[in-house]
Amino acid sequence: MVELNYKNGLVAAVVQHVRTGDILTTGEMDAAAWEQSLESGFVTLVASGGQPAAGRLRICDILMNCTLDCVLFKAEPENPAVCRTGHYSCFHRRLRHGELIPLSDTAEPAPAVVENWEELLVTAFPRLELTRNIPYRDLTTFAVGGTVPLLAEPSCEAELAALCRFLSRNGVRRLLIGGGSNLAGMDKPFDGLAIRLERGVFSSFTVCPDRTVSCGAALRLPELARQAARAGFGGLAPLSGIPGSLGGALRMNAGANGHWIGELVAQLRGCRADGSLWSADASDLTWGYRQSPIPADVIITSAVLALPPSDPETELAAIRAEAEARRRREPAARTAGCVFRNPDTGESAGRLIDQCGLKGRRQGALEVSVEHANFLLNRGGASAADLEELMTEIRAAVARNTGIYLEPELVFADPETRQRLTAAVPAPKVTVLMGGDSSERSVSLRSGAAVAAALRRAGYPVEEIDLQHCELTPEIRQATVVFPVMHGGFGEDGRLQKLLEDAGVPFVGSGSASCADVMDKIISKKIMEQHDLPTAKWAVVTRENRAFPADLRFPVMLKAPQQGSTVGIVKVESAADWETALDEVFAYDDRLLVEEFVSGIESTVAVINGTACEPIEIRPPHGIYDYDAKYLYKGGHTEYLIPAPSFSAEQKELLKKLSERFYRDFRCRDMVRVDFIIDGDGNPVILEGNALPGFTDTSLVPKAAKAAGLSFARLTAMLVKNALDRGC
């Protein structure tokens, strides 16, 4: 979050980085903090629009990324009735201590477009190669759209920089064509200048003295891979089937076969919108899945790649094999490749589209490929309007079927197309609750952050709230849907769920009564016995009655009934240890569960929407699956095995059936995790359930879901869809 400081109707704040989706909220800042932040090199925000009561703005688009001079972004209010939409704001660094820039009631205007800019362009750049009225079919592989009125092809970085300065000063929009392999044209003429890097140094390939490779951004990846192979370098064969240019591949961190172009980058060079040059070393760059750290306004001009040595013939053979494999698996037609981004690793957008029965679906001259559902085929003369309508239909179908809101991977010549696609099938905002005040707070914060990240990959706008008291804030009361990722305490024992139920707010997970029953280990024991679910012998002790239960024998497990993550659990080996163990665990509760210790193999089974996943076998490093074995690993790492090698097929089926019975008997919703010990005779014993289990991407429920074919993004999206479908 970014805090805004309101002073006398002016708004300012100190931040270092911003991203789309960031929330700007009101706050206070003293003069000393202001001065220190400026001296430390942070940039200073000046935002327009709204009164302090408006409270929250969301950054919806980055127009120019952070530089030492200025960043331009578009922010819109979360409450349109209070705040005017569409305001543009700037980040400035050149401020003195205490200086505030007055805010107007309208957006800071972009430079007015000079009417005769084309004439001025020809005069200013007499050697610049200019071509008029080029059809998109001659510029892109997709061939969607009409014509480009004016295309410029600069021959060197200096000419490109001068051209960008000219366009910026004259208020002229620019459209970067690149290799054209993932660009969709527009039907109406583009009201600016299209730029393509094809000539001169932009297509160069040079082996540097330090055995790195300097490459022009216009080089197509197949040709780059072949040139590198002939020079004795490898590493590019897995990416060689991607038809686009190096610059375009870097912009989206293109990947294939488990490899990504960003992994090979040693240095990048480019040109910013204002004509200034930009460069970055590998240490400055953090790459993500289909995400690039390159500022949005930068046109990449060249890259230095660190490639491993390789035998030329071996590498060229691998490149030929990759080209043949891609020809076999991808349709031969006018296409832009994958239209939508895969929402998660291992979760193919094409498979999601196929599951909606959309293969072969047509809109005008566009068709969903029957070979690869994430490819749209242009059968001849397809319009941008056809494309937008078909993509909207696909997004709506996938959202209805899976809860995932696919995000376009295509680049659109019309900058408003993406916004229209999103507006036509808007994803509801999810409020993720995390933190709490229990001993499991740190685990909850990690789980909440992981859930929020997965939901964003699934296309949702997400608000994260660290809820430290059992109360519903105004933001929670107004939420469209809540995803509680609270472990222990009020977040898991039903109190928070009861508040949400009473407020009529839809939420993920079991209802309040079910959460209370599953959370309380003593109540759980009673319910399991009532429904003939196998569980270890047990008894209850209190502060007033500390005597060891007569019908149990050592060793036993002493458990605080309202704790989780193995907090408040002690193994008591003998009568000599009994009183000391009681004192330790009574710190958590006034009544304790005493449970017969069962020696055996630990296992857990996730139940999602009433169906059990495959059991996971748990092998802790030191015998007991305690807090260290789960999270800290001081005593070694725990092994999680799926499929479980120690169990027979019959045992696995029994574990799944018992878990599904637990889900039904405890009236759970959405999910539950059931923990077992399989004793020395092969009999399963239920230890406990967990209605709000750990939810990092390496936690047990996501592990089980992944083994069942559900990615983390799809799992979280499905749970949100469940909550929205049933309402409050």
Side-chain angles (χ1 to χ4, degrees):
M1 277 197 183
V2 179
E3 288 208 345
L4 303 186
N5 178 32
Y6 287 87
K7 292 184 179 179
N8 301 322
L10 307 181
V11 186
V14 177
V15 296
Q16 193 166 19
H17 299 289
V18 292
R19 299 169 299 177
T20 55
D22 281 354
I23 302 298
L24 314 180
T25 61
T26 60
E28 291 297 331
M29 182 185 344
D30 59 31
W34 178 278
E35 184 173 26
Q36 180 181 5
S37 61
L38 289 175
E39 291 176 353
S40 64
F42 281 40
V43 290
T44 299
L45 167 67
V46 175
S48 60
Q51 300 299 316
R56 301 173 67 84
L57 295 172
R58 181 177 64 86
I59 296 177
C60 57
D61 195 13
I62 301 291
L63 306 180
M64 291 173 58
N65 270 35
C66 292
T67 69
L68 291 180
D69 298 321
C70 151
V71 174
L72 189 64
F73 72 89
K74 184 177 181 181
E76 62 185 17
E78 288 199 320
N79 185 352
V82 179
C83 234
R84 183 185 304 239
T85 61
H87 286 195
Y88 288 82
S89 306
C90 277
F91 286 84
H92 293 271
R93 189 172 187 271
R94 300 192 186 105
L95 288 183
R96 295 183 300 275
H97 167 53
E99 179 179 358
L100 293 177
I101 296 179
L103 305 176
S104 64
D105 192 40
T106 59
E108 183 174 316
V113 179
V114 177
E115 291 185 4
N116 63 336
W117 69 267
E118 291 187 29
E119 298 176 16
L120 296 174
L121 177 68
V122 173
T123 302
F125 299 90
R127 297 182 180 180
L128 179 64
E129 184 171 325
L130 294 170
T131 310
R132 295 184 181 274
N133 300 320
I134 306 179
Y136 280 104
R137 67 173 178 269
D138 296 338
L139 296 171
T140 69
T141 61
F142 205 12
V144 165
T147 61
V148 173
L150 187 61
L151 174 72
E153 295 184 87
S155 60
C156 65
E157 191 178 76
E159 189 173 41
L160 173 64
L163 179 60
C164 288
R165 282 194 295 273
F166 173 89
L167 298 177
S168 178
R169 290 168 181 170
N170 288 281
V172 182
R173 297 170 60 200
R174 68 181 192 182
L175 169 63
L176 183 64
I177 299 293
S181 62
N182 73 327
L183 176 67
M186 53 195 296
D187 295 333
K188 62 184 180 181
F190 177 70
D191 57 345
L193 180 68
I195 300 174
R196 182 169 64 175
L197 307 184
E198 285 285 327
R199 306 167 57 210
V201 296
F202 299 126
S203 296
S204 64
F205 177 92
T206 305
V207 177
C208 304
D210 62 356
R211 300 298 293 171
T212 57
V213 175
S214 178
C215 319
L219 272 174
R220 302 299 196 272
L221 286 187
E223 177 59 24
L224 171 58
R226 286 191 290 269
Q227 290 200 43
R230 287 192 285 267
F233 294 99
L236 287 168
L239 307 176
S240 61
I242 299 172
S245 67
L246 174 60
L250 291 165
R251 168 59 61 191
M252 63 179 295
N253 192 21
N257 304 303
H259 297 267
W260 310 94
I261 190 67
E263 299 169 345
L264 304 173
V265 170
Q267 188 180 62
L268 295 178
R269 281 184 62 86
C271 180
R272 305 201 73 126
D274 62 0
S276 61
L277 297 182
W278 174 89
S279 65
D281 294 328
S283 58
D284 303 322
L285 303 168
T286 302
W287 304 85
Y289 173 73
R290 292 286 195 265
Q291 290 184 336
S292 162
I294 302 168
D297 72 313
V298 167
I299 298 176
I300 293 298
T301 56
S302 66
V304 176
L305 304 181
L307 303 177
S310 180
D311 173 68
E313 290 306 316
T314 301
E315 194 70 14
L316 287 169
I319 293 169
R320 289 191 294 270
E322 174 59 23
E324 179 59 30
R326 186 165 283 245
R327 275 193 293 271
R328 287 196 305 268
R329 68 176 179 261
E330 294 183 357
R334 298 295 301 252
T335 178
C338 290
V339 175
F340 292 101
R341 179 181 300 173
N342 292 337
D344 211 343
T345 304
E347 189 67 75
S348 162
R351 184 170 67 243
L352 298 177
I353 297 168
D354 185 16
Q355 290 171 351
C356 295
L358 292 175
K359 280 187 174 180
R361 175 69 174 161
R362 294 196 64 155
Q363 174 60 45
L366 283 176
E367 177 184 331
V368 179
S369 170
V370 296
E371 299 169 82
H372 190 316
N374 201 18
F375 278 56
L376 301 185
L377 312 181
N378 185 352
R379 296 302 188 186
S383 68
D386 291 337
L387 174 64
E388 188 173 331
E389 188 165 343
L390 185 53
M391 290 183 71
T392 297
E393 180 183 354
I394 292 170
R395 286 190 80 241
V398 172
R400 284 194 304 271
N401 191 49
T402 67
I404 290 177
Y405 292 79
L406 292 175
E407 297 186 355
E409 192 158 88
L410 274 179
V411 176
F412 301 100
D414 181 354
E416 296 179 359
T417 300
R418 184 179 294 270
Q419 285 87 346
R420 290 195 299 268
L421 284 169
T422 301
V425 188
K429 187 172 80 170
V430 182
T431 300
V432 174
L433 305 183
M434 64 185 84
D437 62 355
S438 78
S439 58
E440 300 175 76
R441 171 176 169 78
S442 62
V443 181
S444 173
L445 290 172
R446 294 200 298 272
S447 290
V451 166
L455 286 170
R456 290 188 179 103
R457 294 196 297 273
Y460 289 87
V462 179
E463 179 178 19
E464 301 171 53
I465 295 179
D466 181 357
L467 188 65
Q468 300 186 42
H469 304 285
C470 190
E471 61 182 4
L472 299 189
T473 65
E475 292 88 352
I476 299 173
R477 291 184 180 277
Q478 296 168 12
T480 304
V481 60
V482 166
F483 198 132
V485 197
M486 312 284 286
H487 304 324
F490 66 81
E492 193 173 352
D493 65 8
R495 284 178 285 167
L496 175 62
Q497 288 74 12
K498 186 65 169 63
L499 292 177
L500 292 168
E501 290 166 350
D502 292 345
V505 178
F507 63 93
V508 169
S510 296
S512 59
S514 177
C515 284
D517 289 346
V518 174
M519 178 67 181
D520 192 305
K521 294 177 176 63
I522 295 173
I523 294 177
S524 291
K525 285 287 190 179
K526 295 177 180 178
I527 294 174
M528 284 189 278
E529 286 188 344
Q530 178 184 347
H531 292 278
D532 294 322
L533 291 170
T535 188
K537 292 179 63 176
W538 61 283
V540 176
V541 295
T542 65
R543 291 185 185 276
E544 293 74 25
N545 182 10
R546 298 165 60 102
F548 185 79
D551 56 346
L552 294 180
R553 61 181 181 179
F554 293 104
V556 296
M557 300 301 295
L558 193 59
K559 300 182 178 182
Q562 293 282 347
Q563 298 296 315
S565 289
T566 61
V567 174
I569 295 181
V570 173
K571 182 181 180 183
V572 188
E573 296 283 359
S574 66
D577 304 321
W578 177 246
E579 288 297 327
T580 301
L582 285 177
D583 291 339
E584 179 180 342
V585 185
F586 272 134
Y588 296 97
D589 209 309
D590 292 333
R591 56 177 190 147
L592 305 178
L593 174 69
V594 188
E595 185 179 66
E596 179 184 51
F597 176 76
V598 179
S599 178
I601 302 171
E602 296 214 34
S603 178
T604 193
V605 179
V607 183
I608 301 171
N609 289 344
T611 301
C613 300
E614 286 298 310
I616 298 176
E617 182 177 340
I618 301 171
R619 294 182 181 176
H622 44 75
I624 296 180
Y625 190 44
D626 57 13
Y627 192 89
D628 178 74
K630 288 183 178 182
Y631 305 114
L632 302 180
Y633 313 126
K634 292 179 181 178
H637 283 265
T638 297
E639 292 184 272
Y640 302 100
L641 306 176
I642 183 168
S646 299
F647 306 148
S648 66
E650 292 76 14
Q651 285 176 311
K652 292 176 185 177
E653 283 305 308
L654 179 56
L655 289 172
K656 291 165 70 174
K657 288 180 181 179
L658 290 172
S659 300
E660 290 173 358
R661 282 180 55 194
F662 187 102
Y663 181 94
R664 292 192 303 270
D665 293 341
F666 279 79
R667 309 175 314 285
C668 296
R669 295 188 315 208
D670 296 339
M671 60 187 164
V672 72
R673 194 191 75 223
V674 186
D675 299 336
F676 292 88
I677 286 281
I678 290 76
D679 67 19
D681 296 325
N683 300 313
V685 176
I686 297 177
L687 298 176
E688 63 183 23
N690 194 320
L692 278 177
F695 241 89
T696 69
D697 52 5
T698 58
S699 295
L700 298 180
V701 170
K703 278 181 184 291
K706 184 177 181 180
L710 287 175
S711 69
F712 197 23
R714 187 166 185 181
L715 172 62
T716 56
M718 180 179 70
L719 296 175
V720 167
K721 184 177 182 296
N722 288 351
L724 288 169
D725 287 347
R726 65 174 170 257
C728 59

